[in-house]
Amino acid sequence: MRVLIIEDEDVLREQLTEILKKEGYAVDNSGTGKEGLYLGQETSYDLAIVDIGLPDLTGLEVIKEWRASDRKFPILILTARGRWQEKVEGLEAGADDYLVKPFHFEELLARLKALVRRSAGFSSPIVNSGPISIDTNAQSVTVEGNSIELTAFEYKTLEYLVLNNDKVISKTELTEHIYDQDFDRDSNVIEVFIGRLRKKLDPKNELTPIATLRGRGYKYNLPIDDQ
Amino acid sequence: MLSLTSRLLIAGSIILSAFLGLTGYALDQTYQQSAKKSVEDRLLGQVMTLIAAAQVKLDGTIEIPPNLPISIFSQVETAFYGKIIDKDGNVTWSSPSMRDRDFHGLKLNNITQTVLTQTHDSYGLELFNLSYCVTWDTVHNEPIYTINIAETTEAYNQEISHFRNLLWIWLGGVSIVLLVAQWIVMRWGLSPLRLAADEIVHIEQGEQSEIEGAYPSELKTLTTNLNALISSNREHLTRHRNALSDLAHSLKTPLALMRSAGESSPDGDKALKKAITQQTDQMQQIIDYQLQRAATSGRIPLTKPVEVEKVVNKIVNSLAKVYVEKPINFNVDIDKPCLFFGDESDLFEILGNLIDNAFKWCHHQVNISIHVRSDKKKRRYLSMIIEDDGPGIDKDITENITDRGVTSATKQGTGIGLAIVKDIIEAYHGEIDINKSSLGGASFELKFMQYK
């Protein structure tokens, strides 16, 4: 999951970046509205966190611009004033949720997960797909009720494929959304993760949860229950 | 309180009638005097005729020839009567026109005297009588006679009454014309005031933001200052809110950092971490609450009322986005039009907190009903009811919140939303009742009096 953070407060921005990276998100950040707006226009994000009180462009203007140019990723706004009029204006401008500063990081992480899940069209934090069950809150996976051990990158890969199960995901897209910019994109590590995931999810090779479409990428192959 | 128009009209009418009354009286007096003077002149003329005709004998007696050159004294129908009285009071001559009537003639002793008196004859007819004292120095003893010439007052009275009639007709006409003119002048003179009052009504209804018309110099100071007051009021509120939110912003970020430092420190005292989290939470709530208190404007005169439906729709639509995963039915029932006479931001705060609460706690039903109602004394008020089918609020908690405000709210962890709502409502002298809803959950009933 690639996240954009626009926050003018340096310390808070760095802290957020660090925490989200630790949680396995790929993070870009910006301290100004203009730069943030540009990043959001040019890059495909899964999520954006926007502070309303930015020094140059206001957060509201940034959100309106994005929505006007058909950027659909979910947006969480941060507001310091906590006044309802401001929250409502933000939500009307196109944000999907708000958080009043200061906030608990657990709260922020829960909101982000819910936003990503919702934007993918899942109403429950637990996604069931045949024998496979993915808890997006706990970031844990079970197959036929048995918990399986996944590394953070393996989980992110699976989650991204499942949440975008209607699309074919290219290797480049997977890399962009799962890893930070400094990651070597030519690496064939993705193929390794996919291979390991297949083994862990489908040890008997009966389900084929992840299909490889030659030259195009990967697609999650199993039907999802109760979307 | 009498209106300005009535005051000016009453004062103007009193001055006008006093002026016209005095004018009428003075004119009447002057005219009477001049009419009397002309009576006197006429009678004096007759006196001179009589003197010219009189023949004075050496013994001092006078004789008037029976056929006077002017015959007015001899004619029966004439209005003149003559009578000559000697110094002993004896009537030595009376005009043939007297016939059987008589009148009281004066006897004067000083030959410089001429006296006009009003008297009546033996039939009771009113007369003017001119008494003229004469003597002839060519005659021995210089006998003194008083010549009395009288005429009836009829002609004089007719003349006076004719004059008076004319006078009152004219004065009456002038009064009416002046009153109408005064009224027109007043309408015209006071029209800027009426215009200003109309503009203020428009400002109150939010149709314009300041006084726009051109006004005469006397009012200009007032309207300019009123405009300045209106805009400074608005600016003041905006500046106030901005300053406060800047303050909050600058306090909150360090608070957030402090807390996250406490939370994320890997090797810290657990009790210390907990204390930091708790205290920073409480500090945040206190900042939120005090910020809200300071930003609450309350009822400000000359501000546009807020359409409640618009605000409710915005909040409900926004919250529907936030609570998209919760299947909530919401019924919104609002009178059209329904106005909140206060600040939009305050209304957002009240409804935002209450509706968010309802969405948060409900199982699946939220009812919002906002109406303009009348109490027993026929005073209109704005009633807002927000209810849900959630678990409801514990009576102790509601009492604590509404009685003691934020401190108890933060201690009990119920958030400061309700305390904020209660505070804003108080700023508007409104009422809040927290009850059990027929839906099973909490019901918040708000009342704002003074609905126009």
mmCIF file of all heavy atoms in Angstrom, chain A residues 99-143:
data_model
loop_
_atom_site.group_PDB
_atom_site.id
_atom_site.type_symbol
_atom_site.label_atom_id
_atom_site.label_comp_id
_atom_site.label_asym_id
_atom_site.label_seq_id
_atom_site.Cartn_x
_atom_site.Cartn_y
_atom_site.Cartn_z
ATOM 1 N N LEU A 99 -9.702 12.932 11.299
ATOM 2 C CA LEU A 99 -9.145 12.637 12.611
ATOM 3 C C LEU A 99 -8.712 13.973 13.205
ATOM 4 O O LEU A 99 -8.123 14.799 12.511
ATOM 5 C CB LEU A 99 -7.937 11.702 12.442
ATOM 6 C CG LEU A 99 -7.638 10.740 13.579
ATOM 7 C CD1 LEU A 99 -8.875 9.945 13.983
ATOM 8 C CD2 LEU A 99 -6.536 9.771 13.159
ATOM 9 N N VAL A 100 -9.075 14.189 14.471
ATOM 10 C CA VAL A 100 -8.739 15.457 15.103
ATOM 11 C C VAL A 100 -7.410 15.305 15.833
ATOM 12 O O VAL A 100 -7.194 14.328 16.548
ATOM 13 C CB VAL A 100 -9.853 15.883 16.079
ATOM 14 C CG1 VAL A 100 -9.480 17.188 16.764
ATOM 15 C CG2 VAL A 100 -11.174 16.036 15.342
ATOM 16 N N LYS A 101 -6.531 16.272 15.614
ATOM 17 C CA LYS A 101 -5.226 16.243 16.283
ATOM 18 C C LYS A 101 -5.388 16.660 17.733
ATOM 19 O O LYS A 101 -6.187 17.533 18.013
ATOM 20 C CB LYS A 101 -4.289 17.248 15.606
ATOM 21 C CG LYS A 101 -3.731 16.827 14.276
ATOM 22 C CD LYS A 101 -2.736 17.909 13.888
ATOM 23 C CE LYS A 101 -2.384 17.864 12.426
ATOM 24 N NZ LYS A 101 -1.600 19.050 12.049
ATOM 25 N N PRO A 102 -4.608 16.177 18.646
ATOM 26 C CA PRO A 102 -3.687 15.059 18.453
ATOM 27 C C PRO A 102 -4.440 13.738 18.522
ATOM 28 O O PRO A 102 -5.480 13.676 19.150
ATOM 29 C CB PRO A 102 -2.736 15.215 19.640
ATOM 30 C CG PRO A 102 -3.545 15.896 20.682
ATOM 31 C CD PRO A 102 -4.578 16.716 19.991
ATOM 32 N N PHE A 103 -3.911 12.729 17.898
ATOM 33 C CA PHE A 103 -4.624 11.456 17.840
ATOM 34 C C PHE A 103 -3.705 10.337 18.304
ATOM 35 O O PHE A 103 -2.485 10.505 18.375
ATOM 36 C CB PHE A 103 -5.095 11.174 16.416
ATOM 37 C CG PHE A 103 -4.043 11.487 15.400
ATOM 38 C CD1 PHE A 103 -3.041 10.554 15.127
ATOM 39 C CD2 PHE A 103 -4.042 12.704 14.738
ATOM 40 C CE1 PHE A 103 -2.054 10.853 14.207
ATOM 41 C CE2 PHE A 103 -3.045 12.992 13.818
ATOM 42 C CZ PHE A 103 -2.046 12.080 13.547
ATOM 43 N N HIS A 104 -4.309 9.202 18.617
ATOM 44 C CA HIS A 104 -3.507 8.026 18.955
ATOM 45 C C HIS A 104 -3.126 7.342 17.656
ATOM 46 O O HIS A 104 -3.952 7.246 16.754
ATOM 47 C CB HIS A 104 -4.335 7.060 19.797
ATOM 48 C CG HIS A 104 -4.611 7.569 21.169
ATOM 49 N ND1 HIS A 104 -3.709 7.471 22.198
ATOM 50 C CD2 HIS A 104 -5.684 8.201 21.674
ATOM 51 C CE1 HIS A 104 -4.219 8.017 23.284
ATOM 52 N NE2 HIS A 104 -5.423 8.483 22.995
ATOM 53 N N PHE A 105 -1.902 6.848 17.570
ATOM 54 C CA PHE A 105 -1.482 6.227 16.315
ATOM 55 C C PHE A 105 -2.269 4.955 16.023
ATOM 56 O O PHE A 105 -2.521 4.638 14.866
ATOM 57 C CB PHE A 105 0.026 5.979 16.315
ATOM 58 C CG PHE A 105 0.797 7.250 16.098
ATOM 59 C CD1 PHE A 105 1.534 7.833 17.115
ATOM 60 C CD2 PHE A 105 0.735 7.892 14.861
ATOM 61 C CE1 PHE A 105 2.199 9.022 16.911
ATOM 62 C CE2 PHE A 105 1.408 9.084 14.655
ATOM 63 C CZ PHE A 105 2.141 9.650 15.685
ATOM 64 N N GLU A 106 -2.674 4.249 17.097
ATOM 65 C CA GLU A 106 -3.496 3.048 16.877
ATOM 66 C C GLU A 106 -4.771 3.417 16.137
ATOM 67 O O GLU A 106 -5.203 2.730 15.224
ATOM 68 C CB GLU A 106 -3.885 2.388 18.211
ATOM 69 C CG GLU A 106 -2.749 1.746 18.964
ATOM 70 C CD GLU A 106 -2.011 2.733 19.852
ATOM 71 O OE1 GLU A 106 -2.344 3.947 19.791
ATOM 72 O OE2 GLU A 106 -1.113 2.327 20.596
ATOM 73 N N GLU A 107 -5.356 4.555 16.582
ATOM 74 C CA GLU A 107 -6.599 5.031 15.972
ATOM 75 C C GLU A 107 -6.357 5.341 14.493
ATOM 76 O O GLU A 107 -7.127 4.934 13.622
ATOM 77 C CB GLU A 107 -7.064 6.290 16.714
ATOM 78 C CG GLU A 107 -8.245 7.016 16.105
ATOM 79 C CD GLU A 107 -9.582 6.435 16.534
ATOM 80 O OE1 GLU A 107 -9.568 5.568 17.425
ATOM 81 O OE2 GLU A 107 -10.606 6.836 15.956
ATOM 82 N N LEU A 108 -5.265 6.027 14.219
ATOM 83 C CA LEU A 108 -4.943 6.390 12.835
ATOM 84 C C LEU A 108 -4.777 5.134 11.981
ATOM 85 O O LEU A 108 -5.350 5.030 10.891
ATOM 86 C CB LEU A 108 -3.655 7.217 12.798
ATOM 87 C CG LEU A 108 -3.165 7.559 11.390
ATOM 88 C CD1 LEU A 108 -4.018 8.664 10.789
ATOM 89 C CD2 LEU A 108 -1.700 7.984 11.406
ATOM 90 N N LEU A 109 -4.037 4.150 12.514
ATOM 91 C CA LEU A 109 -3.778 2.939 11.729
ATOM 92 C C LEU A 109 -5.078 2.196 11.446
ATOM 93 O O LEU A 109 -5.315 1.722 10.329
ATOM 94 C CB LEU A 109 -2.782 2.040 12.468
ATOM 95 C CG LEU A 109 -1.373 2.635 12.570
ATOM 96 C CD1 LEU A 109 -0.488 1.767 13.455
ATOM 97 C CD2 LEU A 109 -0.749 2.803 11.186
ATOM 98 N N ALA A 110 -5.953 2.132 12.466
ATOM 99 C CA ALA A 110 -7.233 1.444 12.276
ATOM 100 C C ALA A 110 -8.046 2.140 11.189
ATOM 101 O O ALA A 110 -8.645 1.490 10.325
ATOM 102 C CB ALA A 110 -8.008 1.415 13.585
ATOM 103 N N ARG A 111 -8.063 3.490 11.234
ATOM 104 C CA ARG A 111 -8.834 4.231 10.233
ATOM 105 C C ARG A 111 -8.286 3.993 8.832
ATOM 106 O O ARG A 111 -9.027 3.846 7.873
ATOM 107 C CB ARG A 111 -8.782 5.733 10.533
ATOM 108 C CG ARG A 111 -9.363 6.142 11.869
ATOM 109 C CD ARG A 111 -10.870 6.158 11.841
ATOM 110 N NE ARG A 111 -11.386 6.657 13.097
ATOM 111 C CZ ARG A 111 -11.816 7.895 13.279
ATOM 112 N NH1 ARG A 111 -11.818 8.738 12.275
ATOM 113 N NH2 ARG A 111 -12.265 8.286 14.446
ATOM 114 N N LEU A 112 -6.938 3.971 8.734
ATOM 115 C CA LEU A 112 -6.320 3.788 7.419
ATOM 116 C C LEU A 112 -6.673 2.424 6.839
ATOM 117 O O LEU A 112 -7.037 2.310 5.676
ATOM 118 C CB LEU A 112 -4.800 3.946 7.518
ATOM 119 C CG LEU A 112 -4.280 5.332 7.899
ATOM 120 C CD1 LEU A 112 -2.765 5.340 7.908
ATOM 121 C CD2 LEU A 112 -4.805 6.395 6.945
ATOM 122 N N LYS A 113 -6.589 1.411 7.698
ATOM 123 C CA LYS A 113 -6.903 0.059 7.227
ATOM 124 C C LYS A 113 -8.342 -0.007 6.741
ATOM 125 O O LYS A 113 -8.642 -0.572 5.688
ATOM 126 C CB LYS A 113 -6.700 -0.957 8.358
ATOM 127 C CG LYS A 113 -5.250 -1.322 8.535
ATOM 128 C CD LYS A 113 -5.097 -2.231 9.743
ATOM 129 C CE LYS A 113 -3.644 -2.289 10.147
ATOM 130 N NZ LYS A 113 -3.506 -2.819 11.513
ATOM 131 N N ALA A 114 -9.241 0.585 7.558
ATOM 132 C CA ALA A 114 -10.663 0.554 7.192
ATOM 133 C C ALA A 114 -10.871 1.277 5.868
ATOM 134 O O ALA A 114 -11.645 0.822 5.022
ATOM 135 C CB ALA A 114 -11.494 1.203 8.285
ATOM 136 N N LEU A 115 -10.187 2.403 5.684
ATOM 137 C CA LEU A 115 -10.363 3.179 4.450
ATOM 138 C C LEU A 115 -9.920 2.373 3.230
ATOM 139 O O LEU A 115 -10.614 2.339 2.217
ATOM 140 C CB LEU A 115 -9.559 4.481 4.521
ATOM 141 C CG LEU A 115 -10.212 5.629 5.293
ATOM 142 C CD1 LEU A 115 -9.280 6.831 5.290
ATOM 143 C CD2 LEU A 115 -11.545 5.989 4.679
ATOM 144 N N VAL A 116 -8.768 1.721 3.350
ATOM 145 C CA VAL A 116 -8.252 0.946 2.218
ATOM 146 C C VAL A 116 -9.218 -0.189 1.895
ATOM 147 O O VAL A 116 -9.587 -0.415 0.740
ATOM 148 C CB VAL A 116 -6.858 0.380 2.555
ATOM 149 C CG1 VAL A 116 -6.432 -0.619 1.510
ATOM 150 C CG2 VAL A 116 -5.851 1.506 2.669
ATOM 151 N N ARG A 117 -9.657 -0.870 2.931
ATOM 152 C CA ARG A 117 -10.570 -1.995 2.766
ATOM 153 C C ARG A 117 -11.865 -1.519 2.114
ATOM 154 O O ARG A 117 -12.370 -2.104 1.165
ATOM 155 C CB ARG A 117 -10.836 -2.587 4.147
ATOM 156 C CG ARG A 117 -11.662 -3.821 4.167
ATOM 157 C CD ARG A 117 -11.560 -4.505 5.527
ATOM 158 N NE ARG A 117 -11.692 -3.568 6.663
ATOM 159 C CZ ARG A 117 -12.820 -2.981 6.987
ATOM 160 N NH1 ARG A 117 -13.905 -3.196 6.294
ATOM 161 N NH2 ARG A 117 -12.869 -2.151 8.029
ATOM 162 N N ARG A 118 -12.402 -0.387 2.646
ATOM 163 C CA ARG A 118 -13.657 0.132 2.123
ATOM 164 C C ARG A 118 -13.519 0.529 0.665
ATOM 165 O O ARG A 118 -14.404 0.304 -0.148
ATOM 166 C CB ARG A 118 -14.094 1.344 2.942
ATOM 167 C CG ARG A 118 -15.130 1.002 3.972
ATOM 168 C CD ARG A 118 -15.150 1.992 5.088
ATOM 169 N NE ARG A 118 -15.243 3.378 4.626
ATOM 170 C CZ ARG A 118 -15.178 4.416 5.434
ATOM 171 N NH1 ARG A 118 -15.050 4.230 6.728
ATOM 172 N NH2 ARG A 118 -15.254 5.631 4.973
ATOM 173 N N SER A 119 -12.386 1.143 0.348
ATOM 174 C CA SER A 119 -12.220 1.619 -1.025
ATOM 175 C C SER A 119 -12.104 0.435 -1.977
ATOM 176 O O SER A 119 -12.393 0.551 -3.153
ATOM 177 C CB SER A 119 -11.014 2.536 -1.140
ATOM 178 O OG SER A 119 -9.850 1.777 -1.207
ATOM 179 N N ALA A 120 -11.685 -0.706 -1.461
ATOM 180 C CA ALA A 120 -11.625 -1.889 -2.308
ATOM 181 C C ALA A 120 -12.981 -2.577 -2.358
ATOM 182 O O ALA A 120 -13.161 -3.559 -3.058
ATOM 183 C CB ALA A 120 -10.572 -2.852 -1.781
ATOM 184 N N GLY A 121 -13.927 -2.090 -1.593
ATOM 185 C CA GLY A 121 -15.290 -2.610 -1.647
ATOM 186 C C GLY A 121 -15.569 -3.688 -0.624
ATOM 187 O O GLY A 121 -16.546 -4.410 -0.736
ATOM 188 N N PHE A 122 -14.708 -3.825 0.374
ATOM 189 C CA PHE A 122 -14.965 -4.826 1.412
ATOM 190 C C PHE A 122 -15.567 -4.149 2.619
ATOM 191 O O PHE A 122 -15.042 -3.150 3.105
ATOM 192 C CB PHE A 122 -13.669 -5.528 1.805
ATOM 193 C CG PHE A 122 -13.082 -6.330 0.697
ATOM 194 C CD1 PHE A 122 -12.162 -5.790 -0.178
ATOM 195 C CD2 PHE A 122 -13.493 -7.654 0.506
ATOM 196 C CE1 PHE A 122 -11.640 -6.527 -1.215
ATOM 197 C CE2 PHE A 122 -12.966 -8.398 -0.534
ATOM 198 C CZ PHE A 122 -12.035 -7.837 -1.408
ATOM 199 N N SER A 123 -16.700 -4.722 3.098
ATOM 200 C CA SER A 123 -17.361 -4.053 4.203
ATOM 201 C C SER A 123 -16.838 -4.549 5.541
ATOM 202 O O SER A 123 -16.918 -3.855 6.535
ATOM 203 C CB SER A 123 -18.866 -4.248 4.121
ATOM 204 O OG SER A 123 -19.152 -5.618 4.114
ATOM 205 N N SER A 124 -16.297 -5.745 5.570
ATOM 206 C CA SER A 124 -15.832 -6.279 6.840
ATOM 207 C C SER A 124 -14.311 -6.337 6.848
ATOM 208 O O SER A 124 -13.683 -6.527 5.801
ATOM 209 C CB SER A 124 -16.411 -7.682 7.030
ATOM 210 O OG SER A 124 -15.609 -8.405 7.929
ATOM 211 N N PRO A 125 -13.709 -6.150 8.008
ATOM 212 C CA PRO A 125 -12.245 -6.224 8.053
ATOM 213 C C PRO A 125 -11.730 -7.644 7.767
ATOM 214 O O PRO A 125 -10.549 -7.820 7.517
ATOM 215 C CB PRO A 125 -11.899 -5.784 9.474
ATOM 216 C CG PRO A 125 -13.147 -5.944 10.261
ATOM 217 C CD PRO A 125 -14.277 -5.777 9.298
ATOM 218 N N ILE A 126 -12.627 -8.640 7.851
ATOM 219 C CA ILE A 126 -12.171 -10.014 7.582
ATOM 220 C C ILE A 126 -12.670 -10.440 6.204
ATOM 221 O O ILE A 126 -13.864 -10.393 5.922
ATOM 222 C CB ILE A 126 -12.675 -10.979 8.676
ATOM 223 C CG1 ILE A 126 -11.985 -10.588 9.995
ATOM 224 C CG2 ILE A 126 -12.374 -12.418 8.302
ATOM 225 C CD1 ILE A 126 -12.569 -11.224 11.204
ATOM 226 N N VAL A 127 -11.739 -10.766 5.358
ATOM 227 C CA VAL A 127 -12.088 -11.152 3.990
ATOM 228 C C VAL A 127 -11.976 -12.669 3.879
ATOM 229 O O VAL A 127 -10.932 -13.242 4.191
ATOM 230 C CB VAL A 127 -11.139 -10.477 2.982
ATOM 231 C CG1 VAL A 127 -11.505 -10.884 1.565
ATOM 232 C CG2 VAL A 127 -11.180 -8.970 3.140
ATOM 233 N N ASN A 128 -13.082 -13.283 3.467
ATOM 234 C CA ASN A 128 -13.083 -14.736 3.311
ATOM 235 C C ASN A 128 -13.112 -15.094 1.833
ATOM 236 O O ASN A 128 -13.851 -14.504 1.059
ATOM 237 C CB ASN A 128 -14.312 -15.347 3.999
ATOM 238 C CG ASN A 128 -14.226 -15.187 5.503
ATOM 239 O OD1 ASN A 128 -13.218 -15.540 6.113
ATOM 240 N ND2 ASN A 128 -15.266 -14.602 6.086
ATOM 241 N N SER A 129 -12.282 -16.040 1.516
ATOM 242 C CA SER A 129 -12.227 -16.484 0.124
ATOM 243 C C SER A 129 -12.015 -17.991 0.145
ATOM 244 O O SER A 129 -10.892 -18.468 0.271
ATOM 245 C CB SER A 129 -11.066 -15.769 -0.569
ATOM 246 O OG SER A 129 -10.845 -16.315 -1.837
ATOM 247 N N GLY A 130 -13.129 -18.720 0.074
ATOM 248 C CA GLY A 130 -13.036 -20.175 0.184
ATOM 249 C C GLY A 130 -12.432 -20.558 1.519
ATOM 250 O O GLY A 130 -12.857 -20.033 2.554
ATOM 251 N N PRO A 131 -11.418 -21.367 1.537
ATOM 252 C CA PRO A 131 -10.809 -21.788 2.810
ATOM 253 C C PRO A 131 -9.882 -20.716 3.389
ATOM 254 O O PRO A 131 -9.482 -20.800 4.542
ATOM 255 C CB PRO A 131 -10.007 -23.032 2.412
ATOM 256 C CG PRO A 131 -9.706 -22.828 0.960
ATOM 257 C CD PRO A 131 -10.855 -22.071 0.374
ATOM 258 N N ILE A 132 -9.570 -19.699 2.567
ATOM 259 C CA ILE A 132 -8.619 -18.684 3.024
ATOM 260 C C ILE A 132 -9.367 -17.536 3.694
ATOM 261 O O ILE A 132 -10.398 -17.067 3.182
ATOM 262 C CB ILE A 132 -7.791 -18.137 1.845
ATOM 263 C CG1 ILE A 132 -7.040 -19.291 1.171
ATOM 264 C CG2 ILE A 132 -6.828 -17.034 2.302
ATOM 265 C CD1 ILE A 132 -6.356 -18.910 -0.108
ATOM 266 N N SER A 133 -8.875 -17.088 4.850
ATOM 267 C CA SER A 133 -9.492 -15.972 5.565
ATOM 268 C C SER A 133 -8.405 -14.969 5.940
ATOM 269 O O SER A 133 -7.406 -15.330 6.542
ATOM 270 C CB SER A 133 -10.192 -16.501 6.820
ATOM 271 O OG SER A 133 -10.686 -15.423 7.560
ATOM 272 N N ILE A 134 -8.639 -13.710 5.548
ATOM 273 C CA ILE A 134 -7.618 -12.687 5.802
ATOM 274 C C ILE A 134 -8.198 -11.643 6.751
ATOM 275 O O ILE A 134 -9.240 -11.053 6.464
ATOM 276 C CB ILE A 134 -7.195 -12.008 4.484
ATOM 277 C CG1 ILE A 134 -6.671 -13.073 3.507
ATOM 278 C CG2 ILE A 134 -6.143 -10.929 4.723
ATOM 279 C CD1 ILE A 134 -6.660 -12.598 2.073
ATOM 280 N N ASP A 135 -7.541 -11.441 7.887
ATOM 281 C CA ASP A 135 -7.971 -10.405 8.834
ATOM 282 C C ASP A 135 -7.115 -9.171 8.571
ATOM 283 O O ASP A 135 -5.941 -9.136 8.934
ATOM 284 C CB ASP A 135 -7.780 -10.927 10.266
ATOM 285 C CG ASP A 135 -8.309 -9.924 11.290
ATOM 286 O OD1 ASP A 135 -8.418 -8.720 10.934
ATOM 287 O OD2 ASP A 135 -8.608 -10.345 12.420
ATOM 288 N N THR A 136 -7.738 -8.151 7.951
ATOM 289 C CA THR A 136 -6.948 -6.979 7.564
ATOM 290 C C THR A 136 -6.576 -6.124 8.766
ATOM 291 O O THR A 136 -5.682 -5.289 8.681
ATOM 292 C CB THR A 136 -7.696 -6.116 6.535
ATOM 293 O OG1 THR A 136 -8.962 -5.765 7.075
ATOM 294 C CG2 THR A 136 -7.889 -6.849 5.226
ATOM 295 N N ASN A 137 -7.303 -6.282 9.875
ATOM 296 C CA ASN A 137 -6.925 -5.528 11.073
ATOM 297 C C ASN A 137 -5.711 -6.140 11.738
ATOM 298 O O ASN A 137 -4.742 -5.450 12.042
ATOM 299 C CB ASN A 137 -8.084 -5.488 12.076
ATOM 300 C CG ASN A 137 -9.042 -4.360 11.756
ATOM 301 O OD1 ASN A 137 -8.741 -3.518 10.899
ATOM 302 N ND2 ASN A 137 -10.176 -4.350 12.425
ATOM 303 N N ALA A 138 -5.818 -7.455 11.966
ATOM 304 C CA ALA A 138 -4.720 -8.131 12.657
ATOM 305 C C ALA A 138 -3.587 -8.458 11.695
ATOM 306 O O ALA A 138 -2.498 -8.845 12.126
ATOM 307 C CB ALA A 138 -5.240 -9.410 13.307
ATOM 308 N N GLN A 139 -3.835 -8.277 10.403
ATOM 309 C CA GLN A 139 -2.892 -8.633 9.356
ATOM 310 C C GLN A 139 -2.473 -10.087 9.506
ATOM 311 O O GLN A 139 -1.276 -10.405 9.486
ATOM 312 C CB GLN A 139 -1.674 -7.698 9.378
ATOM 313 C CG GLN A 139 -2.088 -6.237 9.321
ATOM 314 C CD GLN A 139 -0.996 -5.356 8.765
ATOM 315 O OE1 GLN A 139 0.172 -5.694 8.767
ATOM 316 N NE2 GLN A 139 -1.402 -4.208 8.235
ATOM 317 N N SER A 140 -3.482 -10.949 9.684
ATOM 318 C CA SER A 140 -3.167 -12.372 9.821
ATOM 319 C C SER A 140 -4.012 -13.156 8.821
ATOM 320 O O SER A 140 -5.052 -12.689 8.386
ATOM 321 C CB SER A 140 -3.461 -12.843 11.248
ATOM 322 O OG SER A 140 -4.841 -12.697 11.500
ATOM 323 N N VAL A 141 -3.538 -14.353 8.478
ATOM 324 C CA VAL A 141 -4.205 -15.164 7.465
ATOM 325 C C VAL A 141 -4.397 -16.575 8.014
ATOM 326 O O VAL A 141 -3.523 -17.106 8.694
ATOM 327 C CB VAL A 141 -3.356 -15.202 6.177
ATOM 328 C CG1 VAL A 141 -4.017 -16.097 5.137
ATOM 329 C CG2 VAL A 141 -3.138 -13.801 5.626
ATOM 330 N N THR A 142 -5.567 -17.131 7.769
ATOM 331 C CA THR A 142 -5.775 -18.537 8.132
ATOM 332 C C THR A 142 -6.235 -19.293 6.885
ATOM 333 O O THR A 142 -6.891 -18.716 6.024
ATOM 334 C CB THR A 142 -6.853 -18.705 9.224
ATOM 335 O OG1 THR A 142 -8.071 -18.135 8.739
ATOM 336 C CG2 THR A 142 -6.479 -18.025 10.524
ATOM 337 N N VAL A 143 -5.841 -20.552 6.815
ATOM 338 C CA VAL A 143 -6.338 -21.425 5.750
ATOM 339 C C VAL A 143 -7.023 -22.599 6.422
ATOM 340 O O VAL A 143 -6.408 -23.267 7.256
ATOM 341 C CB VAL A 143 -5.193 -21.907 4.838
ATOM 342 C CG1 VAL A 143 -5.745 -22.855 3.771
ATOM 343 C CG2 VAL A 143 -4.484 -20.726 4.195
#
